[in-house]
Amino acid sequence: MNPSPAALANANNNAKSTGARRRRWREVRAEAWALLDSVVADGARVAVVGAGNGDDLPLGRLARRASQVDLIDLDATAATAARARVRGIARRRVRVLEGDATAGEADAVIAAARRGAEASSGAAAAPHAAASLGDGPYDVVVLDLVLTQLLYPALKGTMGGKAIDAVLLRHGQRVTDAVVARAWAATREGGAVVVLHDLLGWWEGHEQPFSIERLLGLAPQEALALAQQGSLPYGCDPWVATRRAGAEVAMTRTWRWPFASGADYAVFGLVTRRRPAGAAAVTEPTAS
Ligand SMILES: C[S@@+](CC[C@H](N)C(=O)[O-])C[C@H]1O[C@@H](n2cnc3c(N)ncnc32)[C@H](O)[C@@H]1O
């Protein structure tokens, strides 16, 4: 069996984590906790999809609050190391579940794109469409900076930028919608799906028409409106996917993710809840 291209590419990225990165992301963990604190009740069952090295979430705090924290990732090696860093008895509440949130759909798109073929819309997903995520039902499912990483890492380096854009524009949102729908299917009634999303990046050669400071100084709705004047990732819009899943954004926080020296992302942290039965979808700004 061929190794999963998405898993290989993401494991390569995860292997670049260092202690310096973990220290640099300390404030990012605090920001994530400021969002999760009011959402994760005592004894909650929580899944973190895209937990990776566990550098961007305070896994120890989460495990002390929750009764169970399942780290779901393509890269079980990184997640196992993240679990090992949780101190004390809380570690027993953390499990690593190797799994693909796209249920094979991302790999089908990537393989077809590398062959220069076209993954037929939806067909790749059909055999796996009902595949469940983790070991739900969960009170809270966190999609942890994962939506931008479903297709891009495996496409990068194997084809040119324009070809990557074409694949993301054609298939990305469908794959993203399926992941968000699967997160909701794994969430119990009354629960929440929290989406942490790296909406905008700044680095040399990839500037935005406004500064990250200006964006983060705005209220979330205004920040989202301004973000739309910038260069956004293609085919991974969590606002669209949330609406299509019958849910809505109940709370938003934004923060800086100092990814590497000279590279910053603006993270939008969204707490999403199911729309009450019969309620119409609110038209919100989307990122795409
Ligand atoms: C940018 S990292 C997120 C940062 C990570 N939470 C950390 O602190 O290291 C994205 C993570 O999503 C995982 N991932 C990508 N595609 C996935 C998929 N289809 N299913 C599950 N995890 C996936 C990657 O392996 C990686 O660990």
Side-chain angles (χ1 to χ4, degrees):
M1 200 172 93
N2 288 333
S4 150
L8 273 179
N10 276 285
N12 280 340
N13 284 346
N14 285 340
K16 293 175 193 153
S17 170
T18 59
R21 172 191 277 191
R22 212 162 294 131
R23 284 189 292 281
R24 196 170 56 245
W25 294 6
R26 187 191 303 268
E27 189 54 31
V28 172
R29 293 191 286 279
E31 293 283 3
W33 185 248
L35 186 74
L36 291 170
D37 190 15
S38 63
V39 182
V40 178
D42 277 334
R45 295 191 84 237
V46 179
V48 181
V49 183
N53 295 304
D55 288 341
D56 69 332
L57 277 189
L59 292 183
R61 274 178 133 167
L62 205 49
R64 287 191 288 281
R65 172 75 60 82
S67 62
Q68 176 96 52
V69 179
D70 286 349
L71 307 181
I72 302 172
D73 205 290
L74 292 170
D75 182 1
T77 304
T80 301
R83 178 184 183 274
R85 282 192 293 275
V86 174
R87 293 205 200 105
I89 203 158
R91 187 185 300 157
R92 292 195 199 153
R93 304 193 189 125
V94 182
R95 296 190 299 185
V96 173
L97 305 181
E98 183 175 334
D100 176 0
T102 77
E105 195 177 355
D107 280 338
V109 169
I110 294 158
R114 286 179 175 179
R115 287 197 308 271
E118 190 56 63
S120 49
S121 194
H128 310 290
S132 59
L133 187 63
D135 181 26
Y138 296 104
D139 298 291
V140 181
V141 174
V142 183
L143 298 176
D144 183 9
L145 298 169
V146 65
L147 297 180
T148 55
Q149 305 302 306
L150 300 173
L151 296 170
Y152 183 73
L155 296 174
K156 196 177 143 200
T158 62
M159 59 188 74
K162 285 209 160 41
I164 294 177
D165 289 352
V167 174
L168 295 176
L169 284 167
R170 182 152 176 83
H171 299 286
Q173 194 61 44
R174 171 169 56 83
V175 177
T176 298
D177 290 352
V179 169
V180 171
R182 216 166 268 124
W184 275 111
T187 304
R188 70 156 184 81
E189 203 167 332
V193 171
V194 175
V195 187
L196 308 185
H197 189 57
D198 40 329
L199 179 62
L200 280 166
W202 285 257
W203 58 89
E204 208 183 317
H206 183 82
E207 277 80 28
Q208 304 284 356
F210 45 83
S211 69
I212 189 167
E213 289 78 14
R214 180 166 165 226
L215 183 93
L216 295 178
L218 296 172
Q221 282 307 314
E222 292 167 2
L224 185 52
L226 178 64
Q228 283 162 79
Q229 296 169 28
S231 167
L232 303 172
Y234 292 137
C236 55
D237 187 325
W239 290 270
V240 167
T242 295
R243 203 166 49 239
R244 289 180 179 164
E248 61 194 10
V249 177
M251 195 198 308
T252 305
R253 279 180 62 87
T254 57
W255 60 85
R256 178 196 293 259
W257 183 22
F259 184 75
S261 169
D264 283 309
Y265 285 90
V267 172
F268 280 66
L270 316 175
V271 176
T272 71
R273 304 260 181 203
R274 279 243 191 261
R275 256 193 321 270
V282 181
T283 310
E284 294 158 16
T286 61
S288 55

